[in-house]
């Protein structure tokens, strides 16, 4: 549309203040796992987001099913989000992993669930932003995602996980899931994410947007006054 660059203002990514990581991480992790019957030594994968098809739940289920028996035995997947789970329940049964997949529906306690998790699995087909990626990074949860997500570059910047390049290949996701779960880097990814999440600018986008609007209005007012 030939809009001049001067008319654009770039806003930072944003996290809601009520989605900040929990402070008592250890206690919350233990409480959530006990609530859902997840063993302390289990590898808990999280899939978070409404719109299961767009966000790649089918891909996530295939990846979980591809794990070697010893690693799969230790792994559980929580699916959080508002959607119709019937097809994915059937897929889980067909793949023989129905006992490992927990459909929790839409929930308000995302920070608490993140505290209990070991990995955010987000193999989206497309994703405008992917705020949950930032939420996981800030909570110290390593991320495995696709590069089509608008916020995927924050995973690179934070040094907090793996971003799969396009075009997507299921075999690559399968390999990387196994590698991530076994990687000694997970502790470093966790620490890197926690440091990245300490940046208060991640929580100030609404304020920044208001500042931009006020500056524009002031320039318009000054222009009218001069005229």
């Amino acid at each position: 549309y030939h809009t001049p660059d001067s008319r654009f203002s770039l806003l930072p990514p944003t996290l809601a203040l009520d989605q900040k990581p929990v402070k008592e991480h250890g206690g919350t992790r233990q409480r959530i796992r006990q609530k859902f019957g997840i063993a302390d030594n289990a590898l808990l994968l999280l899939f978070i987001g409404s719109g299961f098809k767009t966000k790649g739940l089918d891909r996530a289920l295939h990846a979980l099913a591809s794990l070697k028996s010893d690693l799969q035995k230790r792994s559980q997947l929580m699916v959080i989000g508002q959607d119709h789970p019937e097809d994915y329940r059937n897929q889980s049964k067909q793949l023989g992993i129905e006992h490992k997949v927990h459909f929790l529906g839409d929930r308000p306690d995302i920070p608490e669930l993140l505290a209990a998790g070991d990995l955010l699995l987000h193999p989206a087909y497309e994703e405008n932003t992917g705020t949950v990626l930032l939420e996981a990074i800030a909570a110290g949860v390593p991320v495995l995602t696709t590069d089509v997500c608008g916020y995927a570059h924050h995973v690179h910047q934070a040094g907090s996980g793996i971003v799969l390049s396009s075009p997507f290949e299921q075999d690559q996701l399968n390999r990387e899931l196994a590698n991530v779960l076994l990687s000694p880097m997970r502790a470093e990814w966790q620490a890197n994410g926690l440091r990245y999440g300490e940046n208060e600018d991640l929580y100030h986008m609404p304020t920044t947007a208001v500042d931009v609007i006020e500056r524009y209005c002031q320039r318009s007012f000054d222009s009218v006054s001069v005229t």
Side-chain angles (χ1 to χ4, degrees):
Y1 295 97
H2 310 292
T3 305
D5 291 346
S6 60
R7 293 183 63 187
F8 287 95
S9 296
L10 182 62
L11 297 177
T14 185
L15 289 174
L17 290 173
D18 61 357
Q19 295 301 313
K20 278 193 171 185
V22 297
K23 293 182 179 180
E24 296 184 2
H25 181 277
T28 302
R29 177 183 175 90
Q30 184 178 24
R31 176 174 58 81
I32 293 295
R33 285 179 170 241
Q34 287 178 347
K35 179 178 180 178
F36 291 100
I38 306 296
D40 290 341
N41 62 347
L43 294 168
L44 181 56
L45 286 59
L46 301 174
F47 180 97
I48 302 175
S50 299
F52 295 161
K53 183 176 181 179
T54 301
K55 291 176 170 57
L57 180 53
D58 60 327
R59 294 172 169 180
L61 294 175
H62 277 294
L64 176 59
S66 76
L67 296 175
K68 292 183 178 180
S69 58
D70 56 339
L71 188 56
Q72 189 185 108
K73 185 177 180 180
R74 298 173 52 202
S75 302
Q76 300 282 328
L77 174 65
M78 280 186 175
V79 179
I80 301 104
Q82 186 174 4
D83 206 337
H84 301 290
E86 290 80 11
D87 289 345
Y88 301 98
R89 290 185 191 276
N90 292 333
Q91 182 185 358
S92 299
K93 291 179 181 178
Q94 292 171 2
L95 293 170
I97 56 172
E98 68 273 17
H99 59 293
K100 295 192 165 295
V101 183
H102 312 270
F103 291 90
L104 307 187
D106 193 21
R107 297 183 63 91
D109 54 346
I110 299 301
E112 287 76 13
L113 293 170
L114 284 170
D118 296 301
L119 176 71
L120 177 73
L121 185 55
H122 196 81
Y125 285 82
E126 59 182 359
E127 181 76 84
N128 184 42
T129 54
T131 303
V132 70
L133 302 182
L134 274 179
E135 292 173 351
I137 291 170
V141 180
V143 175
L144 176 57
T145 189
T146 48
D147 64 357
V148 299
C149 302
Y151 283 174
H153 67 280
H154 289 283
V155 180
H156 284 308
Q157 290 180 9
S160 59
I162 300 294
V163 178
L164 301 177
S165 58
S166 296
F168 174 81
E169 295 181 3
Q170 184 67 49
D171 286 344
Q172 183 186 18
L173 174 62
N174 298 349
R175 290 192 302 270
E176 290 295 350
L177 177 59
N179 291 338
V180 167
L181 292 177
L182 294 172
S183 176
M185 290 289 294
R186 283 199 296 123
E188 183 174 337
W189 289 333
Q190 178 185 31
N192 290 345
L194 290 171
R195 282 195 297 270
Y196 198 78
E198 292 174 354
N199 181 3
E200 288 298 323
D201 288 343
L202 295 176
Y203 302 90
H204 289 169
M205 190 276 280
T207 303
T208 304
V210 171
D211 290 343
V212 170
I213 294 170
E214 288 181 340
R215 286 196 298 270
Y216 172 79
C217 292
Q218 186 61 50
R219 288 198 302 269
S220 299
F221 177 78
D222 291 344
S223 175
V224 171
S225 297
V226 171
T227 302

